[in-house]
Amino acid sequence: GDKAFAQFLTDEIKEERKIQKHKSLPKVSGGWELEVHGTEAKLVRKIAGEKITVTFNINNSIPPSAEDEPQEERKPDEQEPELTSTPNFVVEVIKDDTKQTLVLDCHYPEDEIGHEGEEESDIFTIREVSFQPTGEADWKDTNYTLNTDSLDWALYDHLMDFLADRGVDNTFADELIELSTALEHQEYIRFLEDLKSFVKCQ
């Protein structure tokens, strides 16, 4: 059983390498520096008096809808639908002279992906906004968190503009999807390789 499993994994790794779009991770334009720790990635950018960091994790970032299409409905020569990783991401804006960090929790709404025709709509939304003490690893649940569901739209628009002025706009969000998808695929291949070594280990 294990031999067959290892053989299957070898073939699978070959296939996945074939369809791998990026041999190295795609860059995000606008002077963002990338740090990757396992499945977590962090993009950092400094502008006058501010540091902006965007953090996301590729785990559970592939929306379930991609797997809904039953095998039978696909034409035999059709590629499996391309999986796209759309992770939630957290934007932190740190101003040099304050002790507080503005934290914006953003995500890609599932129904927005793939509607490229609508020019005006944003491809990501802000879900929550809060202040957190700068430099503390654990965020406090006691800090007020603004949920955007019931938010005055004018205030929401200003928050979106505030992000766009710092380089977090639709172009950025598109490139983040690209980066996250490449990272997810890279980690998946690495996982298959680890699994193969594990299965073969006597």
Side-chain angles (χ1 to χ4, degrees):
D2 284 3
K3 267 211 184 84
F5 192 9
Q7 187 50 53
F8 167 79
L9 287 167
T10 304
D11 297 342
E12 194 70 8
I13 291 164
K14 260 197 215 114
E15 281 308 302
E16 290 297 331
R17 282 201 188 290
K18 234 187 278 175
I19 60 170
Q20 197 171 15
K21 265 201 204 150
H22 303 278
K23 292 292 167 249
S24 62
L25 293 173
K27 292 259 183 292
V28 176
S29 59
W32 293 90
E33 282 175 28
L34 175 65
E35 301 166 20
V36 180
H37 306 284
T39 58
E40 188 174 85
K42 186 188 221 171
L43 291 157
V44 182
R45 172 174 196 227
K46 291 187 172 79
I47 49 175
E50 292 183 4
K51 177 175 160 191
I52 296 103
T53 67
V54 178
T55 317
F56 64 93
N57 195 317
I58 57 163
N59 280 337
N60 306 317
S61 66
I62 305 237
S65 56
E67 277 109 46
D68 285 351
E69 199 180 317
Q71 292 283 330
E72 301 80 67
E73 285 178 24
R74 273 192 232 133
K75 297 173 194 66
D77 55 349
E78 218 178 6
Q79 277 290 309
E80 294 212 1
E82 218 169 278
L83 296 180
T84 308
S85 161
T86 50
N88 298 342
F89 60 96
V90 175
V91 184
E92 294 172 57
V93 181
I94 302 159
K95 287 190 188 269
D96 291 350
D97 48 2
T98 68
K99 300 269 186 292
Q100 288 184 315
T101 300
L102 183 65
V103 178
L104 302 103
D105 197 338
C106 304
H107 78 138
Y108 295 95
E110 275 165 34
D111 48 0
E112 286 300 317
I113 307 294
H115 295 291
E116 269 91 39
E118 301 147 31
E119 274 308 285
E120 285 309 296
S121 74
D122 290 298
I123 60 172
F124 71 96
T125 58
I126 302 171
R127 240 192 329 207
E128 291 182 344
V129 188
S130 67
F131 279 111
Q132 297 295 345
T134 301
E136 290 198 18
D138 295 328
W139 289 342
K140 297 180 169 47
D141 288 338
T142 50
N143 286 7
Y144 179 74
T145 299
L146 175 68
N147 191 310
T148 55
D149 289 346
S150 51
L151 197 58
D152 174 351
W153 61 266
L155 175 52
Y156 181 83
D157 281 351
H158 277 298
L159 284 169
M160 287 299 272
D161 290 344
F162 177 84
L163 283 182
D165 289 343
R166 284 152 182 80
V168 180
D169 53 12
N170 276 347
T171 308
F172 172 86
D174 266 333
E175 292 180 355
L176 190 133
I177 290 177
E178 187 95 343
L179 168 64
S180 182
T181 302
L183 189 59
E184 204 283 333
H185 199 201
Q186 184 179 294
E187 286 296 317
Y188 175 61
I189 292 173
R190 190 173 298 157
F191 172 80
L192 291 178
E193 287 169 337
D194 290 346
L195 187 58
K196 186 176 92 174
S197 314
F198 187 83
V199 169
K200 285 171 87 168
C201 185
Q202 294 305 320

